[in-house]
Amino acid sequence: MITHEQRAQILSEALPYIQKFYGKTVVVKYGGAAMISEIMQTSVLRDCILLTLCGINVVLVHGGGPEINEMMKKMGKESRFIDGLRYTDEETVDIVQMSLAGKVNKDLVAKINIEGGHAIGLCGIDAGLLMCKKLTGKNDYGFVGKITSVNCKILNDAISSGYLPVVATVACGEDGHSYNINADSAAAKIASSLGAEKLLLLTDIRGVLRNKNDENTLIPRIKLSDIDRLTSEGIIQGGMIPKLECCRTAVAEGVGSAVILDGRTEHSILIELFSDGGYGTLVFDDKGRPEYA
Amino acid sequence: MITHEQRAQILSEALPYIQKFYGKTVVVKYGGAAMISEIMQTSVLRDCILLTLCGINVVLVHGGGPEINEMMKKMGKESRFIDGLRYTDEETVDIVQMSLAGKVNKDLVAKINIEGGHAIGLCGIDAGLLMCKKLTGKNDYGFVGKITSVNCKILNDAISSGYLPVVATVACGEDGHSYNINADSAAAKIASSLGAEKLLLLTDIRGVLRNKNDENTLIPRIKLSDIDRLTSEGIIQGGMIPKLECCRTAVAEGVGSAVILDGRTEHSILIELFSDGGYGTLVFDDKGRPEYA
Amino acid sequence: MITHEQRAQILSEALPYIQKFYGKTVVVKYGGAAMISEIMQTSVLRDCILLTLCGINVVLVHGGGPEINEMMKKMGKESRFIDGLRYTDEETVDIVQMSLAGKVNKDLVAKINIEGGHAIGLCGIDAGLLMCKKLTGKNDYGFVGKITSVNCKILNDAISSGYLPVVATVACGEDGHSYNINADSAAAKIASSLGAEKLLLLTDIRGVLRNKNDENTLIPRIKLSDIDRLTSEGIIQGGMIPKLECCRTAVAEGVGSAVILDGRTEHSILIELFSDGGYGTLVFDDKGRPEYA
Amino acid sequence: MITHEQRAQILSEALPYIQKFYGKTVVVKYGGAAMISEIMQTSVLRDCILLTLCGINVVLVHGGGPEINEMMKKMGKESRFIDGLRYTDEETVDIVQMSLAGKVNKDLVAKINIEGGHAIGLCGIDAGLLMCKKLTGKNDYGFVGKITSVNCKILNDAISSGYLPVVATVACGEDGHSYNINADSAAAKIASSLGAEKLLLLTDIRGVLRNKNDENTLIPRIKLSDIDRLTSEGIIQGGMIPKLECCRTAVAEGVGSAVILDGRTEHSILIELFSDGGYGTLVFDDKGRPEYA
Amino acid sequence: MITHEQRAQILSEALPYIQKFYGKTVVVKYGGAAMISEIMQTSVLRDCILLTLCGINVVLVHGGGPEINEMMKKMGKESRFIDGLRYTDEETVDIVQMSLAGKVNKDLVAKINIEGGHAIGLCGIDAGLLMCKKLTGKNDYGFVGKITSVNCKILNDAISSGYLPVVATVACGEDGHSYNINADSAAAKIASSLGAEKLLLLTDIRGVLRNKNDENTLIPRIKLSDIDRLTSEGIIQGGMIPKLECCRTAVAEGVGSAVILDGRTEHSILIELFSDGGYGTLVFDDKGRPEYA
Amino acid sequence: MITHEQRAQILSEALPYIQKFYGKTVVVKYGGAAMISEIMQTSVLRDCILLTLCGINVVLVHGGGPEINEMMKKMGKESRFIDGLRYTDEETVDIVQMSLAGKVNKDLVAKINIEGGHAIGLCGIDAGLLMCKKLTGKNDYGFVGKITSVNCKILNDAISSGYLPVVATVACGEDGHSYNINADSAAAKIASSLGAEKLLLLTDIRGVLRNKNDENTLIPRIKLSDIDRLTSEGIIQGGMIPKLECCRTAVAEGVGSAVILDGRTEHSILIELFSDGGYGTLVFDDKGRPEYA
């Protein structure tokens, strides 16, 4: 049983961390378990509201694979993946846009506002936030896009008017068509465009693990210059490879640091930002940020 | 063949009308034919952009019945209407929200931006723009809402930051649930909350007709005090009754005037605003607005 | 041992309380044990900094009896009290001003700034913040003043420029002379002038006790209309009488509520503001504030 | 007969041109036939008002030779020209100042305001807008000046307060005396100081003509680098030489482009700005402005 | 011989007077001897600049009878007066406008700027500052106007941008024509519209004299309620009657006080404002302004 | 006897000097006789208020040796000086802080406010205005500091909110302790940080004298490049050496010029600033400021 005195003590101990992030920007990529469980969703959204009240600018970027899959199924349409990417034909991109920008996005906004926050829901189409071109690769992926520019004005306008922007990762192609965008990349690009202090990628794993079956082997900090070695050693592998790539891009383009963070633990955002050790795997540039070196 | 000189002359003749609306707000309820045809859509959206460049604040409010119907069909769900209202169960309100806020809304935003405008797409959930309670009546209509409050701050913030707000008429209930809202009523409520100068209701008819089969019998101006008589005479009938009710509410609550406007004619918005005679049926308060009396 | 997860949970639970006070003003009367002990001082000042980071405007008002007494002694001058008030001759008021505005005030400012805050030290003389006239009573008390007007402009200027104002309770008389002012009254007057949400009077007691020897008999909430009865019953007695009088004045003049708060408990400010039950004795107006009724 | 529908269509077609100039500045040198005929005057002034309503900043710079001549005659004073410049003795410069700053300028302001604009009339003396020194040449021209500096603050202040500034080209010499200034040069200097997008020189000719007797030989576009050649070929000749020199100066100093424009055609300003082909002779820098190259 | 020490002493003694007028507005009606003599002009204009540097807003309103007369003569046109008013035919109003708005106004502006001030010259036509209708009376006076409205926006814009506005008293009639306006009335109307603290009417006399041939009989202060009696006693007579009427109007409409001030004495403005006794005849409302009562 | 006309003439002659300093900053180091005599104090403070009303930003920096000595004596503590510096033990620095920040500072603020000014009293501790480290030298001087950084934000905030900041020269060490700071150096550092136009060091002597016993041998102007020579010649000697060093530092770091000014003459500040010859010894950089060369 924790007493009122202990509670106050704990609040008080958050002071230096709040001071550290005060007036800065944190971009949260939100997805996976943290988005599906009602409890986890409340936890994440309330953490974001709390940060904004503590003078920290939060931008919430989300995907929504499960919702898209469900909608595909309901419409009798098969989800098809090529090279790990959802093949996105005309009808699929409509479903993606509807699910992300119409359902997931607005439901998140509604929940934040019910909890007393002031959120608005945007997607990459609004005010030209995310412009993209068709992603090219070994195969044709349909309407899957690669971001060519981020126009942060709308995010800065929203923040300075007191809103918490929630961003669905659908972008506008140069052809005017909607495109599906990987949410991790979008979050990384938005973070670097905003000059964010932190990029938090919420995932369904504890972080980068030395032994992927043992959470006790978490690697708490990775320098940019170590990513290649860790990848060649097979420690960074599978789905972690593109995630680390997003972190690398963001940090290389000026974001203070990026974190692979466990979205299955309640309030992992607060633990990460408001404790010395952090919680997930921190990716940083040992040149640019001596405090991490 | 119209010469350059004639074109310039015509532009010049728009001057007094632009002066009349400069710095004022026009709420456009957009729907029906004007939304379905590609040509008409371009016409309406470009008109709206033109108005904003001429110093007129435009808010575009839209529904999207056909898109909802199509999505219902795709998902193998039957559309059901009670007392002329779509019966909206849990699954239906999801489809409504996705179609309106995710598809129609963002597609309109994309088109405006491609035409060089600066639009953002919102729905009633964003920043608590439209709060509602469950609509009660002779029957249960499910998640169909009646607006209880409009919080215009987000619209004013958007306008003053230089954006054209496009609003999907989904609202947030007191229970936190999403509700389907009639777009005409939403436009009327938004217009009165903003203190708009004009409410334009785009429809698939020429206006209020004395003989509903003859467009030459258009009634160009209706006073608030004449609505009841015209209704009892059967001239205002069917779908026109709720539309006139929206106009009456808006004007009674301070909107300069409201217009039932033909959405099937290209640039009917410009004709309505930028000519002496107008184009549709103008509803006004003979007491409050001597210039129409 | 409290885990990181528990700590984050506790932070998260502060959300509704922060939301409640966000953008509002809290005036803290600081004195007694909370000011003498180094540990308690750090506790109070860090709590105040934390509040400012959470978007709450804090004004710290302090006295400094012990420091004055010590200085009197060092200068070989006897402290003399009449009717419980320090008799304040010309030399004494100089000592009071020096001790409060020169020593206690600036030392507090230094400590806040060392802890990462942004404080400036003011007294009632600065920018005409506190104007007073000579206090009259049964006896002559010398340069003891009674506030006649509060000019909050300097406090609002300081707050809007991002400073935490620390106020020493020396005021300027109509004769241009400095006067000694009771710190509780000054805090109450400042709170009502600022339209504060809360006045916190830090004292060396748990609050108003039904049995003054038993802290378990704390009266947690007192209505304005009950003060007289409690006084006549002898429950409010001695030094509590003027304190309750300050609370009554503040609340009657528009402050949300006032609290007699234990300054001997670490972080009692956070406990009071960030828990449902509060910690000290809350004085409120049952008419004006239904949430307390 | 042009229908309402055609009119609206034409208005709508102006959209891309308005978008192109939105938020930019156009300096109009106004003189000649466009100023003498009542109809033409109304046409020009209404065009300018229309531009300001479309978000384009307009500065109107005018001379007034005919009015000066008439006033000279009324006062029994002979107009005398040396090297094409009005010899301006003490009395003449008084007449010039009175005619331009007192009569022509204020009459233009009055007309703009009657048409619903918001104009203020200034001359180069006001707020040190145009400073000059005595023009030196083969002969003595009296109080004829050459601009040494332009202080645009008053123009920017006027524009940002919502006024259309109308400028009479009288300047203040370093000796404090008033000087007569060539209006084309003044307009060019003002345009480059403001970083204008366009300088329009209204004249009594169709533009630069290959055969000066045949308007069908209009040269629609001239690069800076072609001016010398066209002059040596005798195509640019007579009064056109200084006009092209003004255009060259303005464009070389950063104005987007300059146009020799027919002031005898109604709404030539609108035709020039709001059609692809333009109307007069456009002078541009093929290096700086690829869109004209 | 006055020493540096004495000079500094005198400057210092101006302090309370500057404090009294700091941030307030003084309207100076400038005319007569003060305008004709070079020395007096410099004195008045430098006084006005000094006031603006001391934080006092100055608006200079001027007529220019002698310049008009001279111009009339030069143009071989006879000045004709009816009921003490210049009969103003079409040609005369042109001469009035040119002389006042083109010559006198801009020459004053030039002089102020040469002395280091920041003046702009306006007339009643600019931005609709002075609107009028034809003055009607026993006879027809031609284009002589009576002010119907003052639009102070342009004056406030100019002042807040740091300019000293100089106003020529030509106004725009409802018919769009220019009208000649009495400068005293214009100054009074402008003063009341601006809510000025002082209206100073510079004249060629010491003030209101009990014996018009003896300057020692100056009446230093006149209450509004005494004007009628002094008029009926013949003390206020001739040209003083309309001047006192202007003072009465201004004070009755909210101006702090009005002063008939000698324009023949150097720096009479500074003496009036910066000494206890003042210099001219002060007109005040004994009801509204207890400090004069 | 000086007439009103002469007084006004003298005020008028201040115009060019006020224009010269308008909008600029003057830092006044206040001490010595000018602070002890009641008459001189009133003179200096009123001069400062007058400057602020004339649009000049004034910062008043003060020491207070006599008050410290007196307080030391009252507390039975001996003043001890090493190398001309007060040896400052723990108890002494408390007395210094109390005397300067608590007594002298607030008394000055009170007097300025009584005279109609708007002063606030600050010391180097407030908002981190003056940070210092322990001064090291041949001997240990205790808590005597050397400024390491000046944070002018609080001064700029105060000035832009309309206050005259009065600064006591106590600073905060890197160890969080209070330190005694030489007031001349503090004024010089503040002046250079603010980019002041003038630094005025009020002293008890006429300025730098060629013969220290003869005030008629005042050296009115000293170039930076002459300081060393004048020192080696023994003309700059004793207490003048550190004062000239402060002037040199300030001017070398960008202050327009510095003046050693007689604080025993009433209004010497006004004489210095508002006359051609100045009054004290001006120290300037012949390279940077041609107007003094």
Side-chain angles (χ1 to χ4, degrees), chain D:
Chain D
M1 189 51 204
I2 301 171
T3 65
H4 279 310
E5 286 78 2
Q6 282 175 310
R7 288 175 168 275
Q9 179 63 34
I10 287 162
L11 283 176
S12 174
E13 286 167 17
L15 179 58
Y17 304 102
I18 297 178
Q19 288 176 320
K20 184 175 157 196
F21 290 105
Y22 192 81
K24 303 212 169 120
T25 299
V26 172
V27 173
V28 179
K29 155 60 206 316
Y30 179 46
M35 211 153 97
I36 296 163
S37 137
E38 186 88 9
I39 288 172
M40 284 310 305
Q41 204 176 76
T42 302
S43 158
V44 168
L45 300 184
R46 285 173 59 105
D47 285 5
C48 290
I49 296 172
L50 187 66
L51 296 184
T52 63
L53 292 176
C54 293
I56 303 167
N57 305 321
V58 177
V59 176
L60 198 64
V61 179
H62 66 88
E67 288 78 4
I68 296 169
N69 291 342
E70 192 192 322
M71 192 56 53
M72 294 287 278
K73 219 167 66 188
K74 277 192 183 165
M75 293 179 61
K77 207 167 156 72
E78 204 179 343
S79 286
R80 203 177 124 214
F81 290 84
I82 307 181
D83 304 337
L85 296 166
R86 181 187 301 276
Y87 178 76
T88 308
D89 59 16
E90 183 81 41
E91 214 175 35
T92 305
V93 79
D94 269 12
I95 295 171
V96 166
Q97 180 179 321
M98 281 193 301
S99 304
L100 294 189
K103 179 72 183 132
V104 179
N105 185 265
K106 299 303 182 187
D107 283 358
L108 289 174
V109 166
K111 276 201 184 111
I112 292 172
N113 293 348
I114 286 162
E115 295 288 342
H118 301 279
I120 60 168
L122 301 168
C123 73
I125 295 166
D126 292 295
L129 172 54
L130 299 175
M131 299 304 291
C132 72
K133 59 180 183 187
K134 189 174 157 65
L135 179 72
T136 54
K138 284 173 294 180
N139 294 289
D140 178 34
Y141 314 112
F143 293 103
V144 175
K146 182 178 155 66
I147 292 174
T148 51
S149 72
V150 180
N151 177 1
C152 283
K153 182 180 180 297
I154 180 65
L155 297 180
N156 288 322
D157 285 342
I159 288 168
S160 71
S161 294
Y163 301 110
L164 193 169
V166 180
V167 181
T169 54
V170 177
C172 186
E174 288 154 355
D175 54 358
H177 206 285
S178 295
Y179 280 78
N180 189 6
I181 297 284
N182 174 268
D184 288 337
S185 326
K189 281 293 184 189
I190 286 172
S192 64
S193 294
L194 286 169
E197 180 63 22
K198 279 272 182 208
L199 167 65
L200 303 181
L201 297 180
L202 291 187
T203 60
D204 289 350
I205 193 168
R206 188 68 175 78
V208 179
L209 304 176
R210 211 161 271 283
N211 171 349
K212 69 174 175 156
N213 299 317
D214 180 359
E215 295 215 341
N216 292 321
T217 65
L218 177 80
I219 303 179
R221 286 147 38 99
I222 297 178
K223 297 181 201 176
L224 283 202
S225 55
D226 287 342
I227 293 178
D228 288 340
R229 185 178 50 76
L230 288 167
T231 307
S232 68
E233 289 173 11
I235 291 168
I236 298 171
Q237 58 162 325
M240 268 301 162
I241 294 177
K243 279 192 187 296
L244 265 293
E245 222 38 60
C246 287
C247 292
R248 191 211 297 261
T249 304
V251 172
E253 290 177 355
V255 174
S257 61
V259 183
I260 311 284
L261 188 60
D262 195 340
R264 304 163 308 172
T265 307
E266 275 191 79
H267 305 301
S268 60
I269 293 175
L270 295 185
I271 307 175
E272 175 62 38
L273 295 180
F274 289 174
S275 70
D276 272 353
Y279 194 74
T281 294
L282 180 100
V283 179
F284 67 103
D285 184 356
D286 46 329
K287 300 216 186 63
R289 307 284 296 195
E291 72 270 34
Y292 296 123

Side-chain angles (χ1 to χ4, degrees), chain B residues 91-116:
Chain B
E91 214 174 34
T92 305
V93 79
D94 270 11
I95 295 171
V96 166
Q97 181 179 321
M98 281 193 302
S99 304
L100 294 189
K103 181 72 184 131
V104 179
N105 184 267
K106 299 303 180 186
D107 284 357
L108 289 174
V109 166
K111 276 200 186 112
I112 292 172
N113 293 349
I114 287 162
E115 295 289 342

Side-chain angles (χ1 to χ4, degrees), chain E:
Chain E
M1 189 52 204
I2 301 171
T3 65
H4 278 311
E5 287 77 1
Q6 283 175 310
R7 288 174 169 276
Q9 179 62 36
I10 286 161
L11 283 176
S12 173
E13 286 166 15
L15 180 58
Y17 304 102
I18 296 178
Q19 289 176 319
K20 183 175 158 194
F21 290 106
Y22 192 81
K24 304 216 168 117
T25 298
V26 172
V27 174
V28 179
K29 155 59 204 318
Y30 180 45
M35 209 152 99
I36 295 163
S37 139
E38 187 89 7
I39 289 173
M40 283 311 304
Q41 204 176 75
T42 303
S43 159
V44 167
L45 300 184
R46 285 172 60 104
D47 285 3
C48 289
I49 296 172
L50 187 66
L51 295 185
T52 64
L53 292 176
C54 293
I56 303 167
N57 305 320
V58 176
V59 175
L60 198 64
V61 178
H62 66 87
E67 289 78 3
I68 297 168
N69 290 341
E70 193 192 321
M71 191 56 52
M72 296 285 279
K73 217 166 67 186
K74 278 192 184 164
M75 293 180 63
K77 207 168 154 70
E78 206 178 340
S79 287
R80 202 175 124 216
F81 290 84
I82 307 181
D83 304 339
L85 297 166
R86 182 187 301 276
Y87 177 75
T88 307
D89 60 17
E90 182 84 40
E91 215 175 34
T92 304
V93 79
D94 269 12
I95 294 170
V96 166
Q97 180 180 320
M98 281 194 302
S99 304
L100 293 189
K103 180 71 185 133
V104 179
N105 185 266
K106 299 303 181 186
D107 284 357
L108 289 173
V109 166
K111 278 204 183 107
I112 292 173
N113 293 348
I114 286 163
E115 295 289 342
H118 300 279
I120 60 168
L122 301 167
C123 74
I125 295 166
D126 292 294
L129 172 55
L130 299 175
M131 300 303 292
C132 72
K133 59 179 184 187
K134 190 173 155 64
L135 179 72
T136 54
K138 284 172 294 180
N139 294 289
D140 178 33
Y141 314 111
F143 292 103
V144 174
K146 183 180 155 64
I147 293 174
T148 50
S149 72
V150 180
N151 177 359
C152 283
K153 182 180 179 300
I154 180 65
L155 297 179
N156 288 322
D157 285 342
I159 287 168
S160 71
S161 295
Y163 302 110
L164 193 169
V166 180
V167 181
T169 54
V170 176
C172 187
E174 288 154 355
D175 54 358
H177 206 285
S178 295
Y179 280 77
N180 189 7
I181 297 284
N182 176 267
D184 288 337
S185 327
K189 279 294 183 188
I190 286 172
S192 64
S193 294
L194 286 168
E197 180 62 23
K198 279 274 182 207
L199 167 65
L200 303 181
L201 296 181
L202 291 186
T203 60
D204 289 351
I205 191 168
R206 188 70 176 81
V208 179
L209 304 176
R210 211 161 272 282
N211 170 350
K212 69 172 175 161
N213 298 317
D214 181 359
E215 295 217 342
N216 292 321
T217 65
L218 177 81
I219 303 179
R221 287 145 38 96
I222 295 179
K223 297 182 202 175
L224 284 201
S225 55
D226 287 342
I227 293 177
D228 288 341
R229 185 180 47 76
L230 288 167
T231 308
S232 69
E233 288 172 359
I235 291 168
I236 298 172
Q237 59 162 323
M240 268 302 160
I241 295 177
K243 281 195 187 293
L244 265 293
E245 221 39 61
C246 286
C247 293
R248 189 211 297 261
T249 305
V251 172
E253 290 177 355
V255 175
S257 61
V259 183
I260 310 284
L261 188 61
D262 195 340
R264 302 164 310 172
T265 306
E266 275 191 77
H267 306 301
S268 58
I269 292 175
L270 295 186
I271 307 174
E272 175 62 36
L273 296 180
F274 290 174
S275 70
D276 271 354
Y279 193 74
T281 294
L282 180 99
V283 179
F284 68 103
D285 184 355
D286 47 331
K287 300 219 184 62
R289 307 283 298 193
E291 71 270 33
Y292 298 123

Side-chain angles (χ1 to χ4, degrees), chain F residues 160-211:
Chain F
S160 71
S161 295
Y163 301 110
L164 193 170
V166 180
V167 181
T169 55
V170 177
C172 187
E174 287 154 354
D175 54 359
H177 207 284
S178 295
Y179 281 78
N180 189 7
I181 296 284
N182 175 267
D184 288 338
S185 327
K189 280 294 183 187
I190 287 172
S192 63
S193 295
L194 286 168
E197 180 62 23
K198 280 272 183 210
L199 168 66
L200 303 181
L201 296 181
L202 291 187
T203 60
D204 289 351
I205 193 168
R206 188 71 175 76
V208 180
L209 304 176
R210 211 162 271 283
N211 171 348

Side-chain angles (χ1 to χ4, degrees), chain C residues 27 39 50 69 73 115 170 180 215 247 258 288:
Chain C
V27 174
I39 289 173
L50 187 66
N69 290 342
K73 219 167 64 185
E115 295 288 341
V170 176
N180 189 7
E215 295 217 341
C247 294

